[in-house]
Amino acid sequence: MVTAKVAEHTVRNSDDLLTGTVSLGNTEALTVPSPDGVAVVTKINVGRGDVLRPGQVVGEVSGTSVVALALPFPLYRDLAPGDTGSDVKAVQDELVTLGLMSSAAADGTYGGGTAVAVAKLFSSGGGAPPPASGDARAALATARQALADAKDDEGETASAVASASKAVATAEAAAGTPLPRSAVVLVPAHGAEVVAVAKVGDSLAGGDDLLSVRSGSATVTVRAAVDQVPKVGAAVRVASVVDTSVSVDGVVSHVGQFTAGKDAQGPGNDVVVKLSSVHGLADGDSVTVTPRSGAPTSKGLAVPLTSLRDAADGSSYVLRVTNPPTGGKGHPTTERVTVELGASGNGYALVDGGSLRSGDVVVVSEP
């Protein structure tokens, strides 16, 4: 038989101890639409833990440089000189933000200024600008040859040379740097942490990820009962359930509306805590959240939680030893003492047991 003495204890109330799960941010897989042929990673410029920002060249897929941009939506087509539309305007706005073109030129038409800015986008990040299509390059070569022939032909008029020159200018504009949708991945405007990245030589066939990034603040969300919400306070302490030596500070950033209980989660308000650090914590870790000043405490007569028993009528009681054995021999006698439970925590419960007194011995477990 295992016993324990009834004694005065200061109990840190576990009713005010909230539990939740760590989220280190929103994780998103970044893929590139497969270009014609096989999509193979041929170069990688980022690694795990790096912060990927708009305008940064991520690497190369099948020899084509891939750049990160903060666009409001994914590109749904390849863009080239002469194109117009909201997608062109979105790209131009991003180029303006990156300081590569003037806002006055962001008119929704992919012209020569946009082509030059796109070329700068890639080259400034250490990548090679995407080449114009084969048809555009062939048309430019033909126009240039026609101009050379017109200049060499003494019989050609000045207007013919001027017309050939104009054709070259048109062909040069059409052969400006394009922006294939397979050369772009989307990132938040403030950047994102790289958490996984493909290796050189990996095939991206079937929509495999080029890399995964995580953005947003590290947070913990807990469900607090209505009476617990005021006790949380603005500043809290977040501690790992698995490794109690790991704890960080946090601040309450949002208290949601009351939500009815569902499944194993009771009713209450979802409280979001923004973490000041993630040292020692991993995504998905279970943690406890308490006020930074410490959970409220209560003092009084206490018994181990393991000594409490449930009666058929729903009340609680303990077994008090009335005749302990002498010299380890004999069998002790016990009596049932009904108790009213108070705060609990740290393995103890405060009790009001009527005749129960400090120093009494209660049964914790029996053989």
Side-chain angles (χ1 to χ4, degrees):
M1 177 183 291
V2 178
T3 61
K5 283 188 175 183
V6 179
E8 293 278 335
H9 275 278
T10 298
V11 173
R12 192 175 297 277
N13 195 350
S14 62
D15 289 340
D16 296 312
L17 188 70
L18 302 174
T19 58
T21 303
V22 174
S23 171
L24 296 184
N26 300 316
T27 301
E28 183 179 3
L30 303 185
T31 61
V32 293
S34 296
D36 294 337
V38 180
V40 177
V41 179
T42 50
K43 187 178 181 180
I44 284 292
N45 298 334
V46 296
R48 288 187 61 185
D50 291 346
V51 176
L52 180 63
R53 302 188 185 280
Q56 188 172 347
V57 174
V58 177
E60 293 179 359
V61 175
S62 299
T64 298
S65 295
V66 178
V67 69
L69 294 177
L71 301 178
F73 49 80
L75 292 182
Y76 51 86
R77 59 172 175 165
D78 296 338
L79 298 179
D83 288 336
T84 61
S86 58
D87 50 352
V88 175
K89 183 64 165 62
V91 169
Q92 290 174 330
D93 289 342
E94 176 68 346
L95 294 171
V96 170
T97 300
L98 294 173
L100 297 173
M101 68 182 296
S102 68
S103 58
D107 56 2
T109 297
Y110 200 123
T114 302
V116 170
V118 169
K120 289 180 180 178
L121 170 68
F122 284 89
S123 59
S124 62
S133 68
D135 289 345
R137 295 196 302 271
L140 177 58
T142 299
R144 285 174 173 170
Q145 184 60 52
L147 175 60
D149 292 344
K151 289 180 177 179
D152 290 341
D153 188 347
E154 294 180 356
E156 288 288 358
T157 62
S159 61
V161 173
S163 178
S165 296
K166 185 176 180 180
V168 168
T170 300
E172 285 178 341
T177 303
L179 185 61
R181 66 191 187 103
S182 61
V184 175
V185 292
L186 302 190
V187 294
H190 55 270
E193 179 189 1
V194 177
V195 295
V197 62
K199 302 185 299 295
V200 171
D202 284 354
S203 173
L204 302 182
D208 291 338
D209 304 334
L210 177 61
L211 68 161
S212 294
V213 296
R214 183 163 53 216
S215 60
S217 302
T219 60
V220 172
T221 301
V222 297
R223 174 66 60 83
V226 173
D227 62 333
Q228 290 177 312
V229 173
K231 302 176 184 178
V232 176
V236 298
R237 192 70 179 167
V238 177
S240 170
V241 170
V242 177
D243 185 354
T244 54
S245 67
V246 175
S247 63
V248 299
D249 289 333
V251 293
V252 173
S253 60
H254 177 72
V255 177
Q257 297 294 321
F258 177 82
T259 302
K262 184 178 181 182
D263 299 329
Q265 196 169 37
N269 302 73
D270 286 334
V271 178
V272 179
V273 175
K274 185 176 180 180
L275 303 181
S276 62
S277 166
V278 295
H279 180 69
L281 296 174
D283 200 53
D285 277 358
S286 294
V287 293
T288 60
V289 176
T290 55
R292 193 177 297 175
S293 57
T297 59
S298 302
K299 186 176 181 180
L301 202 63
V303 297
L305 289 171
T306 50
S307 70
L308 295 170
R309 289 163 167 75
D310 295 325
D313 62 1
S315 63
S316 299
Y317 69 92
V318 295
L319 294 176
R320 177 170 55 190
V321 177
T322 58
N323 184 25
T326 304
K329 297 180 180 180
H331 297 283
T333 58
T334 61
E335 64 178 354
R336 178 185 292 196
V337 179
T338 301
V339 295
E340 293 184 8
L341 300 181
S344 64
N346 306 91
Y348 288 88
L350 299 186
V351 295
D352 181 359
S355 64
L356 202 63
R357 297 289 181 268
S358 179
D360 285 351
V361 176
V362 296
V363 176
V364 173
S365 64
E366 299 176 276

